[in-house]
Amino acid sequence: MRTLLIGAVAILSLACSGDSEGQPTPPVAAGTALDTATFAGGCFWCVEEAFDEVEGVISTTSGYMGGQTSNPSYEEVSSGGSGHVEVVQVVFDPDIVGYDELLDVFWPNIDPLTRNRQFCDAGPQYRAVIFPAGSDQRQLAESSKAALERSGRFDQPIVTEITPASAFYPAEEYHQDYYQKNPVRYRFYKFTCGRAQRLADLWGPS
C-alpha cells in the first residue's frame, strides 16, 4: 500500500527541490550513559518523526525486529514472509527522558485496538509492539499498558503486544529520516493513509 501511494506522487517529489536535511544529532557529553528502546507502530517513517521531536532522544533508526531470518530486506519484511516487524530503535539519554516517558509518546502515536495492522498498512509486519530490552523496561511497559487499560479510555481490548527485544536490523538507508528527506511523498502517504485522522479519533486532537 505504501509503495503504491509513494509512486503516485513521484512527479510532485521531483518538482520539489526543497527537501529538508536531517536534523543534526544533539551533542552528548563525554561519559553519558545512553539507553535504547525499540517500538513498532506501523510505518516506521511516522514513528521516527514522533520520537525525533522528544527532548533527550539522541537518534532514531528505522529497522526490523522479531523475525526468523538475518538481515532481511524491506521487500522481504513488507511481504510478510520474514516474520519481522517494522520498528524504530530509539537511543536516548535517561538523564533527560525516561523510558516511561517514551511510552507516553508511543501510545498516542498508535492504534492500540487493531490487531495486525496500523492504519492503511495491513499485515503482522505492521502490528504495534513494544520490544523491551531487559526486565526493567518490560515492567514499565506492562505497567503502562495496564494503566491504559484501567483508564477506561477505550471500550475495546488493547491488543498491542509486549515482546522481548531481539536482533535489530537497520532498514535500508533510503528509509532513514524519510520524512525529512522526502517531505512531499511523506505527507501524501501520511494523509492518504488516514493516520492523523484515526489518531485524532482515538486520542483527541494533538
Side-chain angles (χ1 to χ4, degrees):
M1 179 66 176
R2 182 169 49 194
T3 303
L4 294 175
L5 291 172
I6 292 171
V9 292
I11 189 168
L12 291 176
S13 298
L14 290 172
C16 176
S17 60
D19 286 4
S20 60
E21 298 296 328
Q23 296 298 315
T25 301
V28 180
T32 300
L34 302 179
D35 207 346
T36 301
T38 308
F39 301 101
C43 169
F44 44 24
W45 304 338
C46 301
V47 180
E48 263 200 30
E49 181 186 25
F51 282 103
D52 275 345
E53 299 174 352
V54 178
E55 183 179 4
V57 167
I58 306 304
S59 67
T60 56
T61 304
S62 289
Y64 315 114
M65 183 175 283
Q68 299 85 35
T69 60
S70 299
N71 300 308
S73 68
Y74 174 70
E75 288 72 21
E76 291 170 329
V77 175
S78 62
S79 72
S82 73
H84 292 87
V85 187
E86 284 197 13
V87 301
V88 170
Q89 192 160 86
V90 180
V91 177
F92 64 99
D93 183 344
D95 290 336
I96 299 176
V97 61
Y99 185 73
D100 56 337
E101 295 172 287
L102 296 180
L103 290 165
D104 290 342
V105 174
F106 171 74
W107 289 114
N109 277 286
I110 66 160
D111 175 354
L113 309 180
T114 303
R115 197 182 302 276
N116 288 335
R117 75 176 297 143
Q118 286 288 286
F119 317 103
C120 67
D121 293 315
Q125 66 272 32
Y126 296 111
R127 69 190 187 275
V129 188
I130 302 169
F131 286 99
S135 58
D136 289 346
Q137 286 191 2
R138 184 175 185 90
Q139 183 176 8
L140 288 169
E142 290 175 344
S143 295
S144 179
K145 181 178 178 179
L148 184 57
E149 290 171 331
R150 291 194 304 269
S151 72
R153 173 181 284 274
F154 304 117
D155 57 7
Q156 297 174 247
I158 294 171
V159 298
T160 302
E161 300 173 18
I162 299 175
T163 303
S166 55
F168 171 73
Y169 300 99
E172 294 81 350
E173 180 58 32
Y174 70 90
H175 285 299
Q176 308 302 333
D177 299 315
Y178 189 92
Y179 75 97
Q180 294 175 329
K181 294 185 290 189
N182 301 278
V184 173
R185 294 185 184 193
Y186 174 72
R187 286 194 297 267
F188 182 86
Y189 158 74
K190 190 174 180 181
F191 174 80
T192 308
C193 199
R195 189 179 187 107
Q197 183 58 57
R198 175 61 173 163
L199 290 178
D201 291 344
L202 289 166
W203 302 98
S206 58

